[in-house]
Structure formats: C-alpha cells, structure tokens
C-alpha cells in the first residue's frame, strides 16, 4: 500500500511486429487495489488481490495482474509506568502512518489492568492495509500509603500489648513485628516496632518503639530491690527483709523503706469527729494514687472477732509535699457506747503485683 508499479502495453500485427502507434481509444483500467494513470502507473491504495490491470483500444485488450501487500506500520507505546489509583491503566499507542486502528492485549487479555504489577503488552495494527506490532511491559507501581503507630507507651499488666495502627487509605492490611517477632510482648521493657503494608496495591511502613512500663508494686519492687534480691524472694509482698514486722506490702502501702527497719506508722487515736463525738480512729499516711492497691479499714469489739465491720467514714487530707496524703478512718461506734474497740487495716493487692 502506498507504492507504485509501472505497466506498459505493446500492440503487435499479424506478423508479430510491434505497432508503433497505439490504437484509437487506448487506455488503462484496474479492477481494484488502487488507481492507474494514462501512462500505466499503478498506485496501490488498498491491500488485496490479485487485481486485474487492463490495457484496451479498438477492440484489442491486454491484461496483467497485481497483488497489493499491506504496508509496514510502526508503533510506539507510552504510559508504561503509571501508579495504582484504582482505575484501569491503558497504554498509549502511536502509529506511523498516524491514526491506524490498533488492538492491544495485556498478558493476553484485552482489558487494561487495574492492580499494581507487571503486564506484557502486545499492540498490533488491525487496519487491513497495514501490518505491524510491538511488545513492551506495563508496570503499575504500588501507591504510597501513610502508616501511623499509636499506643507506644503502655503500663504492664501481664497481658500482650499490641500497638494501634492506622493507614491512609484506611483499612489496609499491615504486618507488625516487635523486636523482630510478630507476637506482641507482655513483659516490661522497650521493643522496636516495625509496621509494613501488605496490601498488593500499596507500599508503606512506619517504625517506633513500644515501651511497657512497670507500675505499682512491680515498679516499687524494682526501685527498692536488686534483681538478685527479687530472685531470692526478698521483694515478695509478704517478706520482711528489714525485720521490722512490717511486710513489704505494708511498707509499699504506707510509703516506708523496706530496707530500713522502722516502727509502724499506723496510729490509733481517740478523737472527736466533726460533730464533736469521740470515736476511735485509725490514722496513717500513704502515697497518692497507687494503682494496684485497695485500702480497707475494719472495726470489731475483739481482736479475735470472727466478724469485722468495714469502716465507711474516711477523711483524706493532702500532705505537703503532695506526693502523700493522710487518711483518718472513723469507727462508727462512739467510745461512750463502746469503750473497747479495735481497728485494723486490710490491704488488697491486684493479682499482677503478687
């Protein structure tokens, strides 16, 4: 297509001799595939054939045939490196000659792909008058996702402490490791955290450090006892390493030093309440805000009583400095009505501290 081919015709007499002058009305015609001018120059315009070329005049006819092959076309591809955004990613195709019809396949399928990945692209001219094809690779890159870590500081309570993860776009799958392990830690300490998006269409990661803090009795234990002393049991809540008859749990509850012997800070005092009625009271100072300890004051008529009543009236006064506070627990019975009364302090430590 697009090429030319010249034809010539010679009229001969009955003796085979060439006649020098063409017969009257001489002309050329083509049955298809192109056009032929008066000089016999055929210009191909469409592939196919064979087509018949006629030379005729004064009843004389001569024929020839011509086959027109498709012309060669070149193709170039563009848009081979897009980024995933959830929409199909067809390549651009340019042809020479321009604007030829083209068919395109992606890994053998006609539809343009959406997901990130690599796809073999084959583009072929589908115009009947031209032939040509080209092959290349379409690479749809993963989109970038934002990953944010939170809950990186947590208090120890013996349970696993996974971090919280948010992604933009939201809801992407993420793989998380803690110091190289996929299992969230439960022990107190610091752990490098790495989070990587595992969605096939997104890339993204974040890193940080998870810190699990000791609190309450466990923190107090670490502050007052060496590792060797803890292993030996000297830091156990019911141990009394300084032999002052105040076990560690009481020392913790009242803010005293478990390594230095001292006297009990609990005071039993008979004093008038806000209404001027004299009652037995238990007075003690304690650290503010211990998270794992409950204080209960109970009263009875005998120290060996089977039944003790919980004291419901407590007065708490902030100390100076404000790290401690003074607690006054009032017996419900007036000393005038019950001259012999006993008060006791019950301490309940959460299970993690035991």
């Amino acid at each position: 297509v697009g090429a030319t081919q010249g034809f010539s015709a010679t009229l001969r007499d009955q003796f085979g001799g060439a006649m020098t002058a063409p017969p009257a009305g001489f002309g050329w015609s083509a049955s298809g595939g192109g056009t032929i001018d008066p000089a016999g120059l055929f210009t191909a315009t469409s592939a196919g054939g064979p087509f018949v070329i006629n030379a005729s005049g004064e009843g004389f006819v001569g024929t020839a045939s011509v086959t027109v092959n498709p012309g060669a076309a070149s193709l170039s591809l563009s848009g081979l490196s897009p980024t995933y955004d959830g929409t199909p990613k067809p390549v651009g195709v340019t042809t020479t000659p321009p604007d030829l019809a083209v068919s395109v396949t992606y890994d053998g399928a006609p539809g343009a792909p959406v997901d990130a990945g690599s796809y073999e692209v084959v583009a072929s001219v589908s115009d009947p008058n031209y032939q040509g094809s080209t092959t290349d690779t379409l690479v749809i890159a993963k989109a970038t996702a934002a990953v944010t870590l939170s809950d990186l500081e947590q208090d120890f309570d013996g349970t696993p402490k996974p971090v919280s993860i948010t992604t933009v776009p939201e809801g992407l799958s993420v793989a998380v490791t803690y110091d190289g392990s996929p299992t969230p830690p439960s022990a107190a300490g610091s752990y490098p955290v790495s989070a990587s998006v595992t969605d096939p269409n997104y890339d993204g990661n974040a890193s940080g450090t998870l810190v699990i803090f000791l609190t309450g009795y466990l923190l107090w234990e670490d502050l007052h006892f060496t590792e060797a002393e803890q292993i030996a049991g000297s830091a156990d809540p019911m141990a009394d390493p300084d032999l002052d008859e105040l076990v560690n749990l009481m020392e913790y509850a009242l803010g005293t030093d478990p390594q230095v012997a001292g006297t009990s800070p609990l005071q039993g005092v008979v004093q008038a309440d806000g209404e001027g009625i004299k009652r037995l009271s238990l007075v003690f100072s304690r650290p503010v805000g211990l998270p794992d300890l409950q204080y209960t004051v109970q009263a009875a008529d005998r120290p060996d009583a089977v039944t003790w009543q919980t004291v419901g009236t407590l007065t708490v006064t902030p100390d100076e400095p404000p790290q401690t506070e003074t607690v006054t627990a009032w017996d419900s019975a007036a000393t005038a009505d019950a001259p012999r009364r006993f008060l006791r302090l019950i301490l309940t430590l959460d299970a993690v501290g035991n």
Side-chain angles (χ1 to χ4, degrees):
V1 173
T4 59
Q5 174 68 52
F7 291 89
S8 63
T10 301
L11 182 64
R12 297 183 182 276
D13 60 22
Q14 68 271 31
F15 303 107
M19 299 178 67
T20 57
F26 179 81
W28 295 92
S29 66
S31 65
T35 61
I36 189 165
D37 67 12
L41 183 65
F42 177 81
T43 301
T45 58
S46 59
F51 301 106
V52 178
I53 304 297
N54 290 306
S56 61
E58 282 190 351
F60 297 97
V61 177
T63 63
S65 65
V66 62
T67 298
V68 180
N69 296 318
S74 62
L75 301 89
S76 62
L77 303 181
S78 59
L80 292 167
S81 302
T83 298
Y84 172 83
D85 64 3
T87 64
K89 298 300 178 187
V91 298
V93 183
T94 303
T95 64
T96 302
D99 302 324
L100 298 179
V102 176
S103 64
V104 183
T105 62
Y106 304 84
D107 277 352
V114 175
D115 292 335
S118 296
Y119 304 86
E120 182 185 50
V121 180
V122 178
S124 302
V125 172
S126 55
D127 188 295
N129 295 315
Y130 290 90
Q131 60 185 4
S133 65
T134 189
T135 301
D136 211 325
T137 301
L138 168 66
V139 180
I140 303 177
K142 293 183 177 183
T144 299
V147 181
T148 303
L149 304 180
S150 56
D151 293 330
L152 290 170
E153 295 185 354
Q154 303 189 47
D155 291 338
F156 172 83
D157 64 5
T159 64
K161 298 297 178 184
V163 299
S164 296
I165 301 173
T166 56
T167 62
V168 179
E170 65 180 356
L172 299 180
S173 58
V174 178
V176 186
T177 60
Y178 303 84
D179 205 8
S181 169
T183 304
S186 57
S190 296
Y191 303 87
V193 179
S194 177
S196 301
V197 172
T198 56
D199 188 285
N201 292 315
Y202 289 91
D203 263 333
N205 56 75
S207 60
T209 301
L210 168 65
V211 181
I212 302 176
F213 293 99
L214 287 175
T215 61
Y217 188 87
L218 295 179
L219 176 59
W220 181 86
E221 183 181 70
D222 258 17
L223 293 174
H224 290 89
F225 296 94
T226 66
E227 183 177 357
E229 289 173 329
Q230 293 179 41
I231 294 173
S234 298
D236 292 351
M238 299 310 294
D240 183 14
D242 58 7
L243 304 177
D244 61 358
E245 298 186 353
L246 291 175
V247 297
N248 287 332
L249 181 57
M250 188 67 73
E251 303 259 21
Y252 169 61
L254 300 178
T256 54
D257 191 333
Q259 301 281 20
V260 178
T263 58
S264 173
L266 295 173
Q267 302 177 47
V269 181
V270 176
Q271 56 185 326
D273 63 12
E275 297 177 354
I277 301 173
K278 287 188 176 182
R279 303 177 187 276
L280 177 62
S281 64
L282 184 65
V283 181
F284 58 91
S285 179
R286 68 183 181 186
V288 174
L290 295 181
D292 53 354
L293 192 62
Q294 299 178 33
Y295 299 76
T296 304
V297 178
Q298 297 178 333
D301 293 328
R302 298 161 49 90
D304 59 351
V306 175
T307 302
W308 290 70
Q309 295 177 330
T310 298
V311 172
T313 304
L314 298 176
T315 302
V316 180
T317 304
D319 293 338
E320 191 61 42
Q323 285 78 17
T324 62
E325 58 191 10
T326 297
V327 179
T328 302
W330 300 88
D331 187 7
S332 59
T335 55
D337 301 325
R340 184 177 173 82
R341 294 286 284 175
F342 297 87
L343 297 177
R344 69 181 183 183
L345 175 62
I346 303 296
L347 301 172
T348 304
L349 187 65
D350 287 350
V352 173
N354 287 323

